[in-house]
Amino acid sequence: QVQLKESGPGLVQPSQTLSLTCTVSGFSLTSYNVHWVRQPPGKGLEWMGRMRYNGDTSYNSALKSRLSISRDTSKNQVFLKMNSLQTDDTGTYYCTREGIYGGYSALFDYWGQGVMVTVSS
Amino acid sequence: DIQMTQSPSSMSASLGDRVTITCRASQDIGNYLSWFQQKPGKSPRRMIYGATNLAAGVPSRFSGSRSGSDYSLTISSLESEDMAIYYCLQSIQYPFTFGSGTKLEIK
């Protein structure tokens, strides 16, 4: 069945780099786009960026200078790296998928469980 | 960036009530509008896609509609399990943008 699972360190020091992994199963990264969405505690959802099925990426301009998304299709993994972390980067980070066929019917139908990241010294 | 103005930010309703939540887009987004439900400690769940299409497994009391640049999520008869925060999302243009959320509580 379709699954996405985020993993990474729960605690990151300010100014350091966050590295997260989204491991997927039940579908191919060459047929789906994978997006990252984050949520500060008690606040709303923010779209961060996307790894396209063909390897292209798109980023939220507010984060673009700090954010990098990559993948390893052989391992069914998509990676998020964000540098210069600050306390307001604390929150839950989710990965979710978008099918390349079916238009908006295939958008964000499955999500990972999320990983909580705390930025603190 | 496209702004999604969601209202109300919170509301309280009784079981059986009809509830409507609205998002207004700052630019034309066609039908590239989805609605998500999020319960405490859980990942978002897609409820509506393409403005009016019910996602798989979602109860039929949920529906979506569009009037110009205004998009609505309606629950025809509120049930206790519907207590959650609801978000709209536009996906016509990057960056995708979410509404600020509506917290729905049961009276």
Side-chain angles (χ1 to χ4, degrees):
Chain A
Q1 73 274 29
V2 173
Q3 288 189 326
L4 301 93
K5 186 173 184 179
E6 306 88 348
S7 58
L11 180 65
V12 180
Q13 294 198 339
S15 80
Q16 297 302 302
T17 297
L18 172 66
S19 295
L20 298 177
T21 300
C22 175
T23 302
V24 309
S25 59
F27 67 98
S28 171
L29 292 178
T30 57
S31 297
Y32 283 81
N33 304 329
V34 172
H35 298 245
W36 288 93
V37 174
R38 70 175 181 174
Q39 184 172 39
K43 297 190 176 181
L45 300 164
E46 179 184 32
W47 180 83
M48 300 182 71
R50 173 216 69 185
M51 168 58 69
R52 203 170 180 216
Y53 69 97
N54 63 357
D56 288 346
T57 53
S58 294
Y59 301 110
N60 189 325
S61 55
L63 302 171
K64 189 173 184 177
S65 63
R66 300 194 291 138
L67 184 61
S68 175
I69 298 174
S70 60
R71 69 178 183 176
D72 184 338
T73 55
S74 67
K75 295 183 177 180
N76 295 319
Q77 293 179 324
V78 178
F79 309 105
L80 178 149
K81 289 190 188 300
M82 190 162 68
N83 59 32
S84 304
L85 250 59
Q86 300 302 319
T87 55
D88 59 3
D89 293 312
T90 292
T92 300
Y93 288 71
Y94 298 99
C95 57
T96 179
R97 74 170 193 172
E98 173 193 14
I100 61 175
Y101 303 110
Y104 37 61
S105 68
L107 178 69
F108 294 6
D109 56 348
Y110 286 87
W111 293 66
Q113 64 192 21
V115 59
M116 178 65 195
V117 175
T118 300
V119 182
S120 175
S121 55
Chain B
D1 298 1
I2 296 175
Q3 305 301 316
M4 301 301 299
T5 302
Q6 187 171 343
S7 61
S9 56
S10 65
M11 64 182 302
S12 181
S14 300
L15 297 178
D17 280 356
R18 182 181 181 89
V19 169
T20 298
I21 299 166
T22 299
C23 271
R24 173 169 291 177
S26 63
Q27 301 176 33
D28 181 19
I29 62 170
N31 285 334
Y32 284 82
L33 189 285
S34 306
W35 290 97
F36 294 85
Q37 175 194 68
Q38 189 178 33
K39 296 184 177 181
K42 300 294 187 181
S43 305
R45 174 192 180 191
R46 188 179 70 165
M47 307 299 281
I48 300 287
Y49 65 90
T52 61
N53 299 285
L54 198 65
V58 174
S60 59
R61 64 181 179 274
F62 288 87
S63 64
S65 63
R66 173 190 176 187
S67 176
S69 60
D70 290 338
Y71 300 81
S72 297
L73 173 71
T74 298
I75 308 171
S76 60
S77 181
L78 191 65
E79 298 195 6
S80 57
E81 66 185 32
D82 301 334
M83 184 178 70
I85 300 176
Y86 293 85
Y87 297 93
C88 62
L89 167 73
Q90 69 80 17
S91 59
I92 196 171
Q93 180 186 109
Y94 290 116
F96 289 1
T97 44
F98 290 90
S100 55
T102 296
K103 185 174 184 179
L104 177 57
E105 297 178 316
I106 310 297
K107 279 183 185 175

